[in-house]
Amino acid sequence: MLKNIPAMLPPELLKLMAEMGHGDELVLCDANFPAASHAQRLVRCDGVGTVQLLEAILELFPLDTYVDRPATVMQVVKGDPVIPIIWEDYRRLIEEYEDISDALEYEERFNFYKRAAKAYAIIATGERAQYANLILKKGVIFPESKPAHVRVHSEPK
């Protein structure tokens, strides 16, 4: 057991996120996405929606600040009347956790599939909303000054 880790993040996903480096990509996909046939590494989170999972991930996972848009959604196929309102939740969470506005890039369906196949990992969710697929580009964790409560022990003389 660990403190302050969102309970919905399975150990396998935590391990994969920790292994990822700057620029690696993580795909959160909806229930209709062909995850198993595209994934190099697949984690199943079938009982979780993408919005809830995204929020838990953003508590731990930095997004790339060296690119204009560190998150990518699958474009609506021409002629499809679907309006993916779930994207507004993605925007809100990314702005809340990462302070990045206008973070979403839009990728044509088959290009999205190709990109997902190259991603470090795909997380299959139980999300039923259409076009709920999201690619996150991992960023950098920058050095911080030591918190006031941390004591630095001096070297023995």
Side-chain angles (χ1 to χ4, degrees), residues 54 57-65 70 91-101 103 136-140 142:
L54 176 61
I57 287 170
L58 289 176
E59 289 186 41
L60 307 172
F61 190 90
L63 294 183
D64 196 342
T65 56
R91 284 185 188 93
R92 176 184 53 79
L93 287 171
I94 291 169
E95 187 160 0
E96 178 183 331
Y97 281 89
E98 294 291 314
D99 199 27
I100 301 171
S101 59
L136 302 174
K137 186 177 287 290
K138 189 172 185 184
V140 173
F142 295 97

Side-chain angles (χ1 to χ4, degrees), residues 96-136:
E96 178 183 331
Y97 281 89
E98 294 291 314
D99 199 27
I100 301 171
S101 59
D102 195 28
L104 296 183
E105 167 177 65
Y106 305 89
E107 189 88 52
E108 183 274 332
R109 177 182 169 209
F110 292 105
N111 289 336
F112 190 99
Y113 288 153
K114 287 176 189 172
R115 191 165 162 192
K118 295 177 186 174
Y120 192 81
I122 294 178
I123 313 309
T125 72
E127 183 60 60
R128 300 285 300 271
Q130 289 181 272
Y131 298 99
N133 306 303
L134 178 67
I135 298 173
L136 302 174

Side-chain angles (χ1 to χ4, degrees), residues 13-30:
L13 178 52
L14 292 170
K15 176 186 179 292
L16 290 173
M17 290 190 316
E19 289 173 349
M20 293 174 68
H22 180 219
D24 282 341
E25 294 186 330
L26 182 68
V27 179
L28 306 182
C29 68
D30 62 37

